[in-house]
């Protein structure tokens, strides 16, 4: 594109549409801390295949744990739950039933970001609790691999 001064072609105003034809980078996810004790955080690293010149969202959906206890809304930091998801911890419900995604983004010019679920010590004796998250993609089908995190009781 070139700026031209002192010339009018057709009209004194107009517009330009620039289409981004760069392919979307591929996202891979690796566990940083997918086993923790309550009060610690579960963390995964999302890594892009190439640096992007714009922020790249990374979104996960919560899935039911299947067999065993599932991490619930009262097992995570209530401030994190409110600030990031607009949800109250009460009434207690499995994270897969809260109806919220786990969202992060790789900043423009960077290759990775960390996705974290902070947990709290609740003082209740419980079996190991599980959270399952599934990477949501932009292609069809829009779902990617599933990752599992496990929280052990502090006692």
């Amino acid at each position: 594109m070139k700026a031209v001064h002192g010339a009018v072609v057709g009209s004194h105003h107009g517009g330009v549409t620039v289409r981004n034809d760069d392919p979307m980078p591929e996202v891979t996810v690796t566990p940083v801390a997918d086993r923790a004790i309550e009060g610690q955080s579960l963390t995964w690293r999302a890594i892009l295949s190439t640096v992007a010149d714009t922020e790249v969202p990374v979104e996960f959906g919560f899935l039911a744990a299947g067999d065993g206890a599932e991490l619930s809304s009262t097992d995570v930091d209530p401030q994190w739950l409110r600030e990031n998801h607009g949800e109250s911890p009460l009434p207690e419900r499995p994270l897969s039933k809260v109806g919220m995604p786990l969202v992060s983004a790789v900043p423009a010019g960077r290759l990775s970001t960390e996705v974290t679920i902070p947990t709290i010590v609740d003082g209740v004796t419980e079996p190991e609790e599980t959270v399952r998250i599934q990477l949501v993609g932009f292609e069809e089908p829009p779902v990617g691999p599933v990752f599992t995190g496990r929280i052990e009781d502090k006692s």
Side-chain angles (χ1 to χ4, degrees):
M1 186 154 42
K2 178 179 171 183
V4 177
H5 299 285
V8 175
V9 179
S11 178
H12 67 283
H13 64 83
V16 175
T17 301
V18 178
R19 297 189 192 277
N20 185 350
D21 61 354
D22 296 337
M24 181 66 104
E26 303 241 347
V27 178
T28 57
V29 178
T30 59
V32 174
D34 59 357
R35 288 187 86 71
I37 296 170
E38 63 180 12
Q40 298 176 340
S41 294
L42 296 168
T43 306
W44 294 266
R45 183 171 292 118
I47 305 164
L48 300 181
S49 58
T50 185
V51 173
D53 57 3
T54 186
E55 179 178 271
V56 176
V58 180
E59 183 175 325
F60 296 86
F62 285 95
L63 303 175
D67 295 339
E70 183 175 341
L71 202 63
S72 76
S73 58
T74 58
D75 293 316
V76 297
D77 181 333
Q79 183 175 348
W80 172 83
L81 194 60
R82 279 192 288 283
E83 288 177 0
N84 293 285
H85 307 289
E87 294 287 335
S88 169
L90 297 174
E92 180 180 15
R93 60 227 182 264
L95 290 180
S96 64
K97 300 288 186 194
V98 172
M100 63 179 191
L102 178 59
V103 180
S104 188
V106 178
R110 304 276 315 265
L111 272 175
S112 67
T113 191
E114 289 191 352
V115 179
T116 301
I117 302 173
T119 68
I120 61 170
V121 177
D122 58 14
V124 177
T125 302
E126 301 168 299
E128 180 179 80
E129 294 170 296
T130 302
V131 63
R132 292 176 63 229
I133 56 174
Q134 184 168 35
L135 184 62
V136 177
F138 299 103
E139 305 297 325
E140 291 296 327
V143 291
V146 175
F147 303 92
T148 302
R150 292 181 168 71
I151 295 291
E152 294 177 31
D153 202 43
K154 184 149 179 101
S155 55

